[in-house]
Amino acid sequence: SAQAGRAAAKASGEAWEKMALGDKARKLSSEAGRGLGEVAGKTKAGVVDIAKASGESLRDGIGDAASKLRPAPREELAPPPSGLEQLLAREEAAAAQANAPAAPDLPLFAGDAAIPAVAKPAPGASAMEGDDRSPIAPPMKKTANAKAMPAQGLPQVKGTGMDGVSTRTWGLALGGILLLAIVFWLGGRFGGGMSKSEVETIVADYIKANPQIIPAALEAQRNGEIAKAIDAIRPALEKPYAGAWAGNADGDVTLVVFTDYACGFCRASVPDVDRLIREDKRLKVVFRELPIIAPQSRDAAIMALAAARQGKYDAFHHAMFAAGSLDKAAIAAAAEKVGVVTDGTADATANEALFQRELDSNLAIATQLQLNATPTWIVGNQLFQGQIGYDALKQAVAKARTAKS
């Protein structure tokens, strides 16, 4: 029994020791768990702080980038002016131009120092604005059978009788003035015993019975405007460039022709001019180069002016029209045929800038006269456009001669 009691006591002690060891293990495990929990909590708080700071930095960076990439606000453009506003602006500009002081005429010769700067006509270019020195010129008089080559890119001065609107305006204005003049005349003569309605009836009946008075008045008005425009630039118009003329150097009448070597009607008119010169020994013909139809027209015109400097204009003029082509080879062949020196040894043959100044001067004259086709003929105070034929030219020369006598 004693032995069994001792064995039981020993076993019980060992069991209690084992139980104490378990308590220690649990105590250590609990303490370790609390330490790990604190570390985990601290780690979690640190991660949250880091994530929060990173998020704020990222949002700030994205915000800055978005601000830089955000397009600038577009400026609201002002609406374009209405058609009425544009019309009023044009009318104000025209009124200001009409009240502006007159500028001096064009220089007499391309070699003069005061040549106006006029842009070269570029192929296919849009029409440029008219020279502000241009006089008011009416529509050009044409014969019934006149044929003309239209100009490409020749500048026009708007609102001065070249378009349909201004022509109708002239007609209405002149017709109204004529009607008022007749009314006042009749009223002054018969006003003592006639009412206003009776005078108006007489005027209306007279115009219906004589409708030709309106076109006749318009024609007289146009002719007067043409004469004024020609007289304003006559010295520059009738003074030839070097040898670019034919006929009598001291002729009592000067016929000016604007020509282009690409113009078929100019070519067809050469025999008419030759016949005039042969039959009228008192006529002087001045040729003005106006290369406005084809890009190659300018090359031929430059060579013609070089020929004029060498006294061979008439020969080159005929050779170039006979060539029927405007390529460089044809121009060179025509020059060689008549002996034009092109290697630069002759006087001013290589001076293209000098020749361009003459072309610019011719273009300025054409702008002032509102020419829109070749050939254009000017003699005295008369202007014709197109291939009008020998008889019409002869009659125009005779009329100019009679007006001078």
Side-chain angles (χ1 to χ4, degrees):
S1 298
Q3 290 178 350
R6 286 192 294 271
K10 183 179 180 180
S12 175
E14 291 177 354
W16 281 105
E17 289 178 357
K18 291 180 179 179
M19 289 175 63
L21 181 62
D23 291 338
K24 291 180 181 179
R26 283 194 298 273
K27 183 178 180 179
L28 292 175
S29 175
S30 176
E31 291 177 354
R34 286 196 301 271
L36 290 174
E38 293 175 357
V39 171
K42 293 180 179 179
T43 302
K44 179 179 179 181
V47 170
V48 171
D49 293 340
I50 293 173
K52 183 178 180 181
S54 299
E56 293 176 353
S57 176
L58 181 61
R59 283 195 301 272
D60 292 341
I62 292 175
D64 293 340
S67 299
K68 293 179 181 179
L69 294 177
R70 185 181 296 114
R74 292 187 303 175
E75 295 182 1
E76 293 295 334
L77 298 178
S82 64
L84 178 59
E85 292 173 340
Q86 297 179 28
L87 178 60
L88 293 175
R90 286 197 298 269
E91 290 179 350
E92 291 177 359
Q97 180 178 349
N99 296 329
D105 291 333
L106 290 171
L108 300 183
F109 192 48
D112 294 344
I115 292 290
V118 180
K120 290 190 285 187
S126 61
M128 74 178 185
E129 296 298 324
D131 194 317
D132 58 5
R133 298 163 298 179
S134 302
I136 298 178
M140 304 309 168
K141 182 178 179 180
K142 299 182 181 180
T143 60
N145 299 322
K147 303 174 183 178
M149 295 290 286
Q152 296 180 358
L154 184 66
Q156 295 280 337
V157 181
K158 300 298 182 184
T160 54
M162 290 299 291
D163 50 50
V165 175
S166 55
T167 302
R168 289 193 296 272
T169 303
W170 270 111
L172 292 174
L174 191 57
I177 292 173
L178 180 62
L179 182 60
L180 288 175
I182 296 175
V183 168
F184 287 143
W185 179 76
L186 289 176
R189 186 167 182 176
F190 304 107
M194 297 182 64
S195 65
K196 180 180 177 181
S197 61
E198 290 174 331
V199 173
E200 291 176 350
T201 301
I202 293 175
V203 171
D205 292 342
Y206 180 80
I207 292 177
K208 289 179 182 179
N210 302 275
Q212 70 278 5
I213 63 173
I214 300 297
L218 287 173
E219 184 69 16
Q221 177 69 18
R222 284 195 295 266
N223 291 341
E225 293 296 336
I226 289 174
K228 291 179 182 178
I230 294 173
D231 284 338
I233 57 172
R234 189 177 300 279
L237 180 67
E238 294 185 350
K239 185 178 181 65
Y241 177 82
W245 61 276
N248 188 338
D250 300 319
D252 60 342
V253 172
T254 299
L255 171 66
V256 180
V257 54
F258 287 83
T259 186
D260 185 322
Y261 289 107
C263 171
F265 299 123
C266 297
R267 179 184 297 108
S269 298
V270 170
D272 297 331
V273 176
D274 291 343
R275 183 180 173 185
L276 277 174
I277 294 172
R278 285 196 309 267
E279 297 182 357
D280 190 338
K281 302 302 180 182
R282 296 181 293 166
L283 177 65
K284 180 180 182 179
V285 179
V286 172
F287 300 93
R288 308 216 74 93
E289 299 296 328
L290 190 62
I292 56 177
I293 295 178
Q296 301 86 353
S297 299
R298 178 180 174 273
D299 296 334
I302 291 289
M303 187 63 74
L305 296 177
R309 295 284 294 183
Q310 301 176 37
K312 300 174 182 178
Y313 179 88
D314 188 66
F316 177 81
H317 185 76
H318 284 79
M320 192 70 251
F321 273 130
S325 173
L326 284 182
D327 57 30
K328 292 186 179 297
I331 296 173
E336 182 180 3
K337 179 180 179 180
V338 301
V340 177
V341 179
T342 59
D343 59 3
T345 58
D347 178 34
T349 51
N351 195 344
E352 183 174 338
L354 177 65
F355 301 147
Q356 183 58 51
R357 290 175 66 188
E358 169 64 13
L359 297 183
D360 291 344
S361 179
N362 290 346
L363 184 60
I365 294 174
T367 301
Q368 288 185 284
L369 295 178
Q370 296 193 348
L371 309 185
N372 59 2
T374 55
T376 293
W377 316 87
I378 301 174
V379 55
N381 290 330
Q382 308 163 83
L383 188 151
F384 308 91
Q385 288 188 300
Q387 181 189 353
I388 63 175
Y390 168 79
D391 292 333
L393 288 173
K394 183 178 179 180
Q395 291 176 4
V397 170
K399 183 177 179 179
R401 183 170 285 134
T402 301
K404 292 183 67 173
S405 60

